[in-house]
Every structure is written in structure tokens, then in C-alpha cells.
């Protein structure tokens, strides 16, 4: 690799020091002395030359040189002949040149008068004849074509085997002949040389003095040259060992430097491309003009965003035409007042390929997740639809006169059906958690009441196993806490249900304890479910919270579980910011513990006594359902409540009936042939029929939250999950209608909603605002959680007239989405003051500090 431009990379050095005055005077004296000695030496040398001319040794000296030279040229010819014979591509021009030189030398020796004295030497004469014979015989081959010469190479190699020995013999014979003559000649010039040597010695002494003077004078220059050489060697080593490619070009784009890494990246050798235009070498054809213009802008200073601004990504071309991505950092320097560009680059093909593969893998995973969610939704619908018929008809059968055995059979079938329904819900819960769609609803909860209700609901199941079930506080009670009651209840039901299944004739105890330590800066509560059951072996403890894992996977295991309950419990606890674990000893029992952050809550004011809910009037109902059993079940349930029922078997029939007759409510199935429930609802809402504003209730086995949102967006008024039973149907009707007072509107509030609804919404609004305040003022703030809460609360703030709070929340939500962290932090610092002012406006007591 050639030396790098010094102005770009060399290290600057200080200039040499000035010579002192005495050194200059000494230098002048020595210079004068040398001049005198040179004149004297010139006179003496002239005498020597005169003597030498008188000595007739010139021919002898030429002869000795020619003898030595013929030996050297014989060796060169033999070497050229051997190289041509062994090489796959022989250099015939070199072979012919060496032959011609040797031929000329041998011919001149045979004809020159100076060599006639050597003819009397037998060895010399015989060797010379043999060489002449070989030369004459080789001429036809040498002067022939390359192909003929190539074929003759082995023969010439054999025939020339004696040449070097003959040349050696000629040289030794000639040297021996003239040795005596040279001795005499040397003796004659010895005296003259003595005088010349004396003069030379004096001259050397003078020169040495002058050199010493120059040594001091040039010390700084030598140091500078040494340092510059070291710098260049270091830089050459760095460039040759660098993993990144280094490319240096001048102002015209000509390549000045191209290190080993660049050669490996682009496939060019530096020797082959030095001085060529870099755009023609590495720029893709369609980008060549733009690269050239970009280089011009950099050199002229127009583009200040490329040189010295870090790496940029671009496409480049290899020597074989392959286009590939690189990252390059460009620097500008000067070399002899000319601007040069230095590029540091590396090939990112592997990284780009890995990124592409990662994106493709992500897309495949997302597609798989979507397919799984769609499959589960379909299976949920397909399983829930027949279950609706089974459980509904069992409910109707229970209302008829049954014997003891029949009653037991019906009860057993109903229990099995509900267990199957619970398994379906469990699988859907897993899907919802994996999709990150667990909505956490933190509100004030009476923990003691929750535990008591849990024990009451599971007491009969425990009694069937001969097991006692109880709960207690360990230490001071913390009755009112802030947590997600439904989520916590689901976790504890899973833990208690497992304990009941695996404990016979034992005890199960639920303990609650307010912990002295905190979780992420929040007060914590630990809940423990201990039993005296069969326990869990140590090797299965690490897997107990995995999906589809049961305590005993053999055929003799306790039936009734999917192995998903503890997996769901783990997901819920993680979503609530807590921890879950287990301690167990086989044949002794197990203790499952849950630690959750639970801030202290406040007891809500006691509700005022309200009038008993009035009975529903008889309603005219339209049931749109494609499944005959479910259609008849809905008809039977509604008719037992005293309502009139009209049936339709698909969405098209439902739309036709809705256009001709007024109904008080329409129960609309979703998945139906001919026309589905969503399309039928949109058509009813878009028309001018008598049921344009009639409540339409979605009846579906798709119970995921996103499905419900989709139903409501299509114009439906409410949702009723399959399987339909009498309590859920009655509650839906009760929430939708009043009896005689249906036409009398309930007093409305400033939010424009009925008073009862306003009170419920306000309570929820206050809980969500308190949760946001806690999240904002937490020592370790979760930015994503705060942003989500701001988004969720902003709409409600506008409903309750808290416009200042609404504006701040909306701005904070926008700042979070735009990634403006500084503005987001500034906005949320205003939330505590605005929230307390909002609570005051709503006549609500301030949140507990």
C-alpha cells in the first residue's frame, strides 16, 4: 500500500535548531582545507592516470571482465531456459534476449584479437568450441515460432547442461593466464597509489570533520524524518489491520488509498484501481450521478450534513456487480492544498438480512397469533351455541316436576355443562392475557368482605370433600384497599379451587397480612392459601404455574381441571404488579402465596335507601336466531316472563319483520346464514322502519372485549352472552326497561344522564382519578401506565365539566404519543393540583394522602 497523504494523517514536528557561530566557522575552515586537498589530489591523480595509460593492462582488464561476464550471462540464460520449461506460460521474449546476449558475448570472444592469446590454452579452446556448437544448433529453435520453441525446450535443456561448466572453465583459464601479467602491472602502480592514498587519507579526515559539523546542523531534520517515518508505519499498520474499510479519494474522485478491508468488501485490489474514479467502481449505476453531485457539494462546502456527521446508510456495488448496503462515515482533509475525502465504511449486509428475517419472523408470529385468536373465537362460538341449548333447556327442565333421580341427573348434566363452559372461558382468558388486553380496574375494595364471600361461595364444595374452609387476618387488618376486585377474586378462586380438589378430610385456610415492606413504593398485602392436601413434589414446583400443567398428569389424577388456572393466576398477578409463588411438601400440604401492591382505600358513603325495582311490563320481543334449539329456548324463557315473542331464523328475516312491526326489543344473534347479525342491525338502523331506535341486544358466544366493542360500534345497544339463562336475561331486561314509569324520564344531571347513572359514573370517575394521582406521584413512575390513564380519564373529565383537567390530560396524551418526554413531564406535574380542584367541584372528599 502506498504512503498516505501526509497532511491528512502525519504528525507535525518542531523545526531544527539553528547552528552555532563556532560550528559555522569550523565548517568554513574545513571546506577550504578540503578544496586545497582536492586540488592536490587532482594533480596527483593526473600523474596516476598518465602512468596507467602507459601500462598496457586495459585489454587484460577488459578480458577478465568479459570472462566473468560470460559466466554470468551463461547462468542467466540457463535460468531463463529452466523458468520457461517449468512455467505454464513461458516468457519466450526473456529467453530469446538471454540467448542473444550470450551468443553475442561468445562470438566477440571468438573473433576479438585480444582473446587470441587464450587460444593456446587447451581447456579454454575446447570449452569455447562446445559453446559455439550449442549456439549454432539452438539458433533454429530460438528464431522459430513460440510453439516450436516450446516443444524444443526439453531438448535445449538437455543440450545446455554443459554450458555453465564450460563458461566456468573458460573464466578460470583466462584468469590464470593473466594473473601473472596483472601482478606485474599492480607493482608498477603501487608507488603512485601510495601517494594517492596519503592524499585520500587527509581528504577523509577533512570530510569527517565536515560530516561532524553537518551532523549537528542536521540533527533536527533527521529527527523529523524519523518521526514522520514512524507515523507513516503506524498509520499503514492501522489501515491494513482495520476491520472497517478505509477509502481515500481526491477532489476528482480518483482513488488514493484502499485498505485490505476495502479490498475484501468490494472485491478490488488496490493496485488495480489506484487512480481510477471511485464512482465508476463502487456506485450503483442508477445512483452514480447522485453520488457524484453529493461529493461535489461536500468538497465545495455546500453539504455540511455529510462530512464529519457520523455514519450514513447507502447502497454500493461490488466488483462482480452485486448491490449491497453499507454504512459510511465521511471526513474531509487537505493534502498539499488540495481537498481529499476519507471514507470509513463497513458492509451491513448480514445486519440488514437479520433485520429482514426478524421482521418476517415477527409477521409470521403475528399472523399465527391472529389465526389462533380467530380459531379460539370460532371454537368459542361453536361450543357455546350448543351449550346454550343444553344449559338453557336444563334450566327449563328444572322448572318442571321431576323425580329425585331425574333431579340428580339434571343437576349432574348442568354441573358438567358449566364445567365445560368454564374451560372455554379459561382458554379465552389465556388468549386475552397473551394479547396484552387485560384491563386493570383499580378501585376501593373491602378485602375482608371479598374473602368472606369467597369462603361462602366455596364452602359447599369444600364440605363435599370433608374439608373445612376459613379465612383470617394475620396481624392488623387492612380492610379497605385499592385493587382490581374481579381480578383478585379470579386469582383466589383458582387457588382455593385447586386446594379443594387436592384436599380430602383436611383444612384450607386463607390468610391475609399487611406487609411492612412495599412493592415498587406502594404498600403491599400478602394473601396465602394453605391446605393439608397431597402436596406437590419438589421436581414439579418450578413448572406449577406453566400452562396445561397439573399436579398429576397420569390417568389417576383428580379430574376437572385444564391445567390453565395457575397460569392465568400468574398472568393476572403480574399484570397487577405483584408476585405469586408456592411452597409445598408431599403428603403434608401446600401454601400458595400472592403479594400485591394495595394502597389503603376509603370506605364509600353508605347508599341511600331506594325504592324497590318495579316489575317489567309485558314486552313485544323479536328473537333472531339461526339455531332452532336456541331459538326455542329464548322463546320459552321470555314467554315464562310474560312477554310476547316473534321468531326469525336469520338476519334477512329479522330485517323484514322489523320493517313491518313495532317491537320493544330485538335479541339478535351474530353468526347466522343469509345475513349476519351485524349487517342486519346496520340495515335496521339505517332504514326508516318502526324499529330504527329500538334496543337491539347482541346475543353471541364471542365474549372477548374487542368483540363487544365491535357489536356496539355496529349500532347494538347491549350484549348478552351465551349460554342464555334466566338470571342473565332478567338482569338485561331490568337494566333496559322500567314498567309503568318507562315513559317518565329520570331526572337528569349537568352531564345530561339520569341521576342514578350519573352517581355510578361519578364514583368510577373519582376512583380512576385517584389511581392516576397515585401513579403520577409514585416514587418510580411508570410512564406508559401514566400515559394510558391520562388517555382513559380525559374523556370522562370533559363529561363532568372538568375542562382544565381535560385539556391537560389530552395534551399529555398527545405528548406521550409523539414521544415528547420533556413536555409530557411538564404537563403531568400539573395533574395533582387540578385533580384536587376537580374533586372539590364535585363535592367529593379529597383523596387520602
Amino acid at each position: 500500500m502506498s504512503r498516505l497523504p501526509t497532511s491528512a494523517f502525519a504528525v507535525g514536528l518542531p523545526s531544527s535548531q539553528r547552528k552555532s557561530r563556532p560550528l559555522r566557522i569550523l565548517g568554513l575552515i574545513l571546506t577550504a582545507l578540503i578544496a586545497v586537498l582536492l586540488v592536490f589530489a587532482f594533480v596527483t591523480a593526473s600523474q596516476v592516470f598518465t602512468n596507467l595509460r602507459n601500462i598496457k593492462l586495459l585489454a587484460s582488464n577488459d578480458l577478465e571482465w568479459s570472462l566473468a561476464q560470460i559466466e554470468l550471462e551463461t547462468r542467466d540464460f540457463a535460468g531463463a531456459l529452466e523458468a520457461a520449461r517449468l512455467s505454464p506460460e513461458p516468457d519466450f521474449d526473456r529467453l530469446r534476449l538471454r540467448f542473444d546476449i550470450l551468443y553475442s558475448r561468445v562470438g566477440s570472444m571468438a573473433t576479438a584479437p585480444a582473446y587470441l592469446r587464450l587460444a593456446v590454452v587447451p581447456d579454454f579452446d575446447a570449452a569455447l568450441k562446445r559453446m559455439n556448437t550449442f549456439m549454432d544448433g539452438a539458433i533454429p529453435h530460438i528464431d522459430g515460432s513460440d510453439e516450436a520453441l516450446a516443444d524444443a525446450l526439453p531438448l535445449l535443456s538437455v543440450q545446455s547442461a554443459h554450458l555453465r561448466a564450460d563458461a566456468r572453465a573458460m573464466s578460470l583459464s583466462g584468469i590464470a593466464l593473466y594473473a601473472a601479467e596483472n601482478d606485474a602491472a599492480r607493482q608498477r602502480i603501487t608507488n603512485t597509489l601510495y601517494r594517492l592514498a596519503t592524499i585520500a587519507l587527509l581528504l577523509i579526515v577533512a570530510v569527517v570533520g565536515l560530516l561532524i559539523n553537518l551532523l549537528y546542523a542536521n540533527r533536527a531534520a533527521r529527527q523529523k524524518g524519523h518521526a514522520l517515518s514512524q507515523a507513516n508505519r503506524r498509520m499503514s499498520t492501522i489501515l491494513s489491520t482495520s476491520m472497517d474499510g478505509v477509502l481515500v479519494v481526491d477532489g476528482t474522485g480518483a482513488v488514493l488509498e484502499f485498505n485490505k478491508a476495502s479490498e475484501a468488501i468490494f472485491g478490488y485490489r488496490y493496485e488495480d484501481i489506484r487512480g481510477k474514479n471511485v464512482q465508476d467502481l463502487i456506485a450503483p449505476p442508477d445512483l452514480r450521478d447522485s453520488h457524484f453531485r453529493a461529493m461535489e457539494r461536500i468538497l465545495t462546502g455546500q453539504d455540511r450534513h455529510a462530512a464529519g456527521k457520523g455514519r450514513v446508510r447507502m447502497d454500493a456495488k461490488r466488483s462482480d456487480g452485486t448491490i449491497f448496503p453499507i454504512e459510511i462515515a465521511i471526513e474531509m482533509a487537505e493534502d498539499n492544498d488540495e481537498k481529499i475525502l476519507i471514507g470509513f465504511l463497513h458492509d451491513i449486509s448480514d445486519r440488514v438480512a437479520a433485520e429482514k428475517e426478524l421482521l418476517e419472523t415477527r409477521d409470521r408470529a403475528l399472523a399465527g397469533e391472529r389465526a389462533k385468536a380467530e380459531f379460539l373465537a370460532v371454537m368459542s362460538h361453536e361450543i357455546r351455541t350448543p351449550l346454550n341449548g343444553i344449559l338453557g333447556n336444563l334450566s327449563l327442565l328444572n322448572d318442571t316436576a321431576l323425580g329425585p333421580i331425574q333431579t340428580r341427573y339434571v343437576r349432574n348434566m348442568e354441573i358438567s355443562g358449566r364445567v365445560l363452559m368454564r374451560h372455554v372461558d379459561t382458554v379465552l382468558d389465556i388468549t386475552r392475557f397473551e394479547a396484552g388486553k387485560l384491563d386493570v380496574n383499580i378501585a376501593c375494595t373491602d378485602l375482608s368482605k371479598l374473602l368472606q364471600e369467597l369462603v361462602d361461595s366455596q364452602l359447599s364444595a369444600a364440605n363435599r370433600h370433608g374439608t373445612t374452609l376459613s379465612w383470617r387476618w394475620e396481624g392488623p387488618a387492612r380492610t379497605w384497599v385499592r385493587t382490581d376486585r374481579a381480578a383478585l377474586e379470579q386469582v383466589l378462586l383458582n387457588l382455593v379451587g385447586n386446594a379443594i380438589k387436592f384436599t380430602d378430610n383436611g383444612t384450607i385456610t386463607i390468610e391475609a397480612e399487611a406487609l411492612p415492606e412495599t412493592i415498587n413504593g406502594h404498600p403491599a398485602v400478602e394473601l396465602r392459601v394453605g391446605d393439608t392436601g397431597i402436596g406437590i413434589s419438589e421436581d414439579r414446583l418450578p413448572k406449577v404455574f406453566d400452562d396445561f400443567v397439573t399436579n398429576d398428569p397420569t390417568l389417576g389424577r383428580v379430574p376437572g381441571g385444564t391445567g390453565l388456572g395457575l397460569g392465568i393466576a400468574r398472568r393476572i398477578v403480574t399484570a397487577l404488579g405483584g408476585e405469586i409463588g408456592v411452597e409445598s411438601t408431599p403428603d403434608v400440604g401446600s401454601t400458595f402465596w400472592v403479594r400485591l401492591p394495595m394502597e389503603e382505600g376509603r370506605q364509600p358513603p353508605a347508599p341511600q335507601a331506594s325504592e324497590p325495582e318495579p316489575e317489567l311490563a309485558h314486552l313485544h320481543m323479536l328473537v333472531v336466531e339461526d339455531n332452532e334449539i336456541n331459538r326455542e329456548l329464548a322463546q320459552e324463557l321470555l314467554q315464562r316472563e310474560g312477554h310476547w315473542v316473534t321468531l326469525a331464523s336469520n338476519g334477512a328475516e329479522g330485517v323484514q319483520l322489523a320493517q313491518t312491526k313495532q317491537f320493544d326489543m330485538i335479541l339478535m344473534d351474530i353468526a347466522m346464514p343469509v345475513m349476519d347479525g351485524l349487517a342486519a342491525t346496520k340495515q335496521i338502523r339505517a332504514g326508516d322502519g318502526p324499529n330504527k331506535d329500538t334496543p337491539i341486544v347482541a346475543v353471541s358466544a364471542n365474549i372477548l372485549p374487542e368483540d363487544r366493542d365491535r357489536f356496539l360500534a355496529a349500532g347494538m345497544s347491549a350484549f348478552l352472552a351465551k349460554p342464555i339463562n334466566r338470571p342473565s336475561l332478567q338482569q338485561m331486561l331490568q337494566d333496559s326497561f322500567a314498567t309503568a314509569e318507562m315513559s317518565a324520564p329520570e331526572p337528569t344531571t349537568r352531564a345530561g344522564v339520569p341521576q342514578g347513572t350519573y352517581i355510578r359514573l361519578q364514583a368510577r370517575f373519582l376512583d380512576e382519578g385517584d389511581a392516576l394521582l397515585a401513579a403520577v406521584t409514585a416514587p418510580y413512575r411508570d410512564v406508559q401506565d401514566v400515559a394510558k390513564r391520562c388517555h382513559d380519564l380525559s374523556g370522562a373529565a370533559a363529561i363532568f365539566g372538568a375542562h382544565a383537567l381535560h385539556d391537560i390530560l389530552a395534551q399529555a396524551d398527545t405528548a406521550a404519543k409523539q414521544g415528547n418526554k420533556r413536555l409530557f413531564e411538564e404537563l403531568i406535574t400539573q395533574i395533582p393540583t387540578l385533580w384536587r380542584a376537580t374533586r372539590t367541584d364535585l363535592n367529593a372528599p379529597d383523596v387520602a394522602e
Side-chain angles (χ1 to χ4, degrees):
M1 181 174 291
S2 64
R3 185 177 61 84
L4 289 171
T6 56
S7 61
F9 295 103
V11 180
L13 296 173
S15 61
S16 60
Q17 299 178 352
R18 294 175 175 269
K19 295 188 292 182
S20 63
R21 184 178 181 84
L23 286 177
R24 290 199 301 272
I25 296 174
L26 178 60
L28 293 174
I29 295 174
L30 290 174
T31 301
L33 178 60
I34 290 173
V36 173
L37 290 175
L38 287 175
V39 172
F40 184 67
F42 176 77
V43 175
T44 305
S46 298
Q47 297 175 357
V48 173
F49 291 147
T50 302
N51 293 330
L52 288 177
R53 283 194 299 271
N54 296 330
I55 301 173
K56 298 181 179 179
L57 294 176
L58 183 58
S60 177
N61 287 338
D62 290 342
L63 183 61
E64 289 178 350
W65 180 85
S66 298
L67 291 172
Q69 193 67 22
I70 196 172
E71 185 177 0
L72 176 62
E73 290 163 357
T74 301
R75 185 193 64 189
D76 290 344
F77 169 73
L81 177 61
E82 186 67 11
R85 187 177 66 84
L86 297 178
S87 175
E89 295 181 5
D91 190 352
F92 293 118
D93 293 336
R94 178 171 173 264
L95 177 60
R96 290 188 177 101
L97 176 63
R98 291 300 174 188
F99 178 83
D100 292 340
I101 294 174
L102 179 60
Y103 182 84
S104 175
R105 183 68 63 187
V106 172
S108 64
M109 188 170 289
T111 58
Y115 304 122
L116 294 179
R117 289 176 297 169
L118 293 174
V120 297
V121 180
D123 292 341
F124 179 89
D125 185 64
L128 181 60
K129 289 179 179 179
R130 284 195 297 271
M131 291 187 73
N132 279 325
T133 301
F134 169 78
M135 291 293 177
D136 294 336
I139 288 174
H141 301 297
I142 294 297
D143 293 340
S145 64
D146 289 348
E147 290 79 8
L149 180 57
D151 295 337
L153 288 178
L155 177 62
L156 293 176
S157 179
V158 173
Q159 293 175 350
S160 64
H162 60 83
L163 290 181
R164 297 185 67 176
D166 291 341
R168 185 65 176 170
M170 292 169 62
S171 177
L172 292 176
S173 300
I175 292 172
L177 177 63
Y178 295 109
E181 296 178 3
N182 288 338
D183 290 339
R186 284 194 295 272
Q187 185 63 40
R188 287 193 296 271
I189 65 172
T190 299
N191 295 333
T192 304
L193 291 178
Y194 280 148
R195 292 196 302 272
L196 186 61
T198 302
I199 296 172
L201 179 62
L202 294 176
L203 186 61
I204 290 172
V205 171
V207 170
V208 168
L210 183 59
L211 289 177
I212 293 174
N213 181 65
L214 293 176
L215 176 65
Y216 287 100
N218 298 324
R219 176 180 296 176
R222 290 197 305 274
Q223 289 176 345
K224 180 178 180 180
H226 179 68
L228 182 60
S229 176
Q230 285 185 330
N232 281 332
R233 285 196 300 270
R234 286 195 299 269
M235 186 56 60
S236 178
T237 302
I238 292 172
L239 292 179
S240 62
T241 58
S242 173
M243 299 300 292
D244 279 0
V246 179
L247 175 63
V248 183
V249 300
D250 62 14
T252 64
V255 176
L256 300 178
E257 292 297 333
F258 203 73
N259 71 341
K260 294 294 184 183
S262 297
E263 291 180 348
I265 291 173
F266 292 102
Y268 293 109
R269 290 198 320 159
Y270 171 63
E271 292 79 6
D272 298 334
I273 66 170
R274 179 171 53 185
K276 295 183 179 180
N277 190 281
V278 70
Q279 307 296 344
D280 298 333
L281 297 172
I282 69 171
D286 57 334
L287 300 177
R288 193 167 298 160
D289 292 340
S290 61
H291 285 194
F292 181 76
R293 289 192 296 270
M295 187 175 71
E296 282 187 335
R297 290 195 299 270
I298 295 173
L299 291 171
T300 57
Q302 299 176 21
D303 190 349
R304 302 182 182 275
H305 301 286
K309 299 299 181 180
R311 293 186 180 272
V312 295
R313 182 169 171 174
M314 59 183 291
D315 287 338
K317 183 188 70 172
R318 290 192 175 93
S319 60
D320 60 1
T322 304
I323 306 300
F324 68 103
I326 63 171
E327 278 188 349
I328 182 169
I330 301 174
E331 297 291 343
M332 188 166 62
E334 290 188 0
D335 181 34
N336 296 327
D337 297 330
E338 293 184 1
K339 292 182 179 179
I340 62 173
L341 291 180
I342 309 165
F344 303 89
L345 56 91
H346 63 270
D347 184 355
I348 59 172
S349 300
D350 293 340
R351 191 179 78 191
V352 172
E355 291 173 354
K356 182 180 179 181
E357 182 178 359
L358 183 62
L359 290 176
E360 292 176 350
T361 303
R362 183 203 64 181
D363 293 341
R364 288 194 298 268
L366 291 176
E369 289 297 323
R370 287 194 296 269
K372 182 177 72 173
E374 293 172 359
F375 170 77
L376 290 175
V378 171
M379 291 306 299
S380 168
H381 182 274
E382 296 301 323
I383 295 175
R384 282 174 172 272
T385 296
L387 275 178
N388 180 52
I390 294 172
L391 296 178
N393 282 282
L394 287 175
S395 177
L396 295 175
L397 188 59
N398 266 326
D399 294 338
T400 64
L402 299 174
I405 297 178
Q406 293 172 323
T407 301
R408 187 173 74 252
Y409 290 164
V410 170
R411 185 181 69 250
N412 291 343
M413 287 188 292
E414 188 173 9
I415 291 172
S416 298
R418 296 197 182 281
V419 169
L420 178 58
M421 183 64 67
R422 192 158 57 247
H423 292 342
V424 174
D425 291 342
T426 299
V427 174
L428 291 177
D429 284 342
I430 288 288
T431 302
R432 188 168 70 252
F433 295 150
E434 289 182 349
K437 295 179 180 178
L438 176 62
D439 295 326
V440 177
N441 183 21
I442 304 297
C444 291
T445 300
D446 187 341
L447 187 57
S448 298
K449 183 179 179 181
L450 184 152
L451 295 176
Q452 185 60 53
E453 291 176 350
L454 177 68
V455 169
D456 292 341
S457 66
Q458 301 298 308
L459 195 56
S460 61
N463 290 338
R464 285 197 296 271
H465 286 258
T467 299
T468 60
L469 176 62
S470 62
W471 77 276
R472 68 171 182 268
W473 276 100
E474 189 73 22
R478 186 182 295 170
T479 301
W480 285 94
V481 296
R482 292 182 54 79
T483 188
D484 188 326
R485 189 186 194 283
L488 178 59
E489 186 176 32
Q490 186 174 358
V491 171
L492 294 177
L493 277 173
N494 277 322
L495 299 182
V496 173
N498 271 353
I500 292 174
K501 283 194 297 184
F502 295 103
T503 304
D504 291 325
N505 302 316
T507 59
I508 300 174
T509 304
I510 305 174
E511 295 180 349
E513 180 182 3
L515 299 178
E517 62 268 19
T518 62
I519 298 179
N520 295 328
H522 299 284
V525 172
E526 181 174 276
L527 299 166
R528 298 181 288 271
V529 178
D531 63 63
T532 58
I534 62 175
I536 306 171
S537 60
E538 184 176 356
D539 61 320
R540 297 190 64 81
L541 281 177
K543 302 178 181 179
V544 73
F545 292 103
D546 293 344
D547 295 335
F548 304 108
V549 173
T550 60
N551 187 32
D552 185 1
T554 65
L555 294 177
R557 71 181 180 88
V558 177
T562 61
L564 290 174
L566 293 179
I568 292 176
R570 173 180 57 83
R571 288 174 171 86
I572 294 176
V573 170
T574 302
L576 294 175
E579 301 173 340
I580 187 171
V582 60
E583 300 169 0
S584 183
T585 303
D587 300 324
V588 175
S590 305
T591 298
F592 285 83
W593 53 266
V594 175
R595 299 188 187 102
L596 291 172
M598 294 187 188
E599 296 182 349
E600 292 190 22
R602 63 181 183 283
Q603 182 176 0
Q608 299 178 354
S610 58
E611 296 293 332
E613 293 183 351
E615 295 183 359
L616 289 175
H618 299 301
L619 304 173
H620 293 271
M621 309 287 289
L622 172 61
V623 176
V624 186
E625 168 68 61
D626 65 316
N627 185 279
E628 183 177 357
I629 296 176
N630 289 336
R631 196 163 56 240
E632 292 180 1
L633 172 62
Q635 181 183 23
E636 183 69 23
L637 291 173
L638 290 170
Q639 287 178 345
R640 289 193 179 190
E641 297 297 323
H643 306 301
W644 294 280
V645 180
T646 301
L647 301 177
S649 60
N650 57 62
E653 291 183 11
V655 172
Q656 184 177 3
L657 289 171
Q659 291 174 345
T660 59
K661 183 178 179 180
Q662 172 70 46
F663 295 100
D664 296 314
M665 176 175 284
I666 300 175
L667 299 184
M668 181 74 72
D669 187 27
I670 299 300
M672 293 183 293
V674 184
M675 180 183 292
D676 62 45
L678 295 180
T681 300
K682 293 178 181 178
Q683 197 162 337
I684 293 173
R685 295 297 191 209
D688 295 327
N691 296 287
K692 180 178 181 179
D693 299 321
T694 297
I696 301 177
V697 178
V699 182
S700 176
N702 297 331
I703 62 171
L704 294 178
E706 57 268 27
D707 293 325
R708 300 187 185 190
D709 296 340
R710 184 163 52 92
F711 301 156
L712 297 178
M716 293 183 166
S717 308
F719 176 82
L720 184 61
K722 291 181 180 180
I724 301 175
N725 53 51
R726 181 178 293 175
S728 63
L729 182 62
Q730 289 175 337
Q731 184 62 47
M732 186 273 297
L733 295 173
Q734 191 68 48
D735 292 341
S736 301
F737 297 100
T739 53
E741 290 76 21
M742 284 176 57
S743 60
E746 188 177 351
T748 59
T749 64
R750 62 178 177 175
V753 297
Q755 184 66 33
T757 303
Y758 180 87
I759 293 175
R760 290 195 302 271
L761 292 177
Q762 185 188 53
R764 182 173 178 179
F765 175 64
L766 292 174
D767 286 336
E768 291 179 354
D770 291 345
L772 173 60
L773 178 63
V776 170
T777 57
Y780 301 98
R781 183 183 301 143
D782 187 342
V783 175
Q784 294 182 350
D785 179 61
V786 172
K788 181 179 182 300
R789 293 182 184 277
C790 290
H791 173 79
D792 294 341
L793 196 64
S794 61
I799 293 176
F800 289 97
H803 299 296
L805 178 63
H806 165 75
D807 293 340
I808 293 298
L809 294 176
Q811 293 177 36
D813 180 36
T814 302
K817 292 178 179 177
Q818 295 176 348
N820 192 337
K821 186 176 181 181
R822 183 186 60 80
L823 178 60
F824 177 79
E825 293 290 341
E826 292 178 357
L827 291 170
I828 64 174
T829 57
Q830 305 177 39
I831 290 178
T833 302
L834 290 173
W835 175 242
R836 291 187 173 90
T838 300
R839 293 186 64 89
T840 302
D841 292 341
L842 295 176
N843 297 321
D846 195 7
V847 63
E849 296 292 332

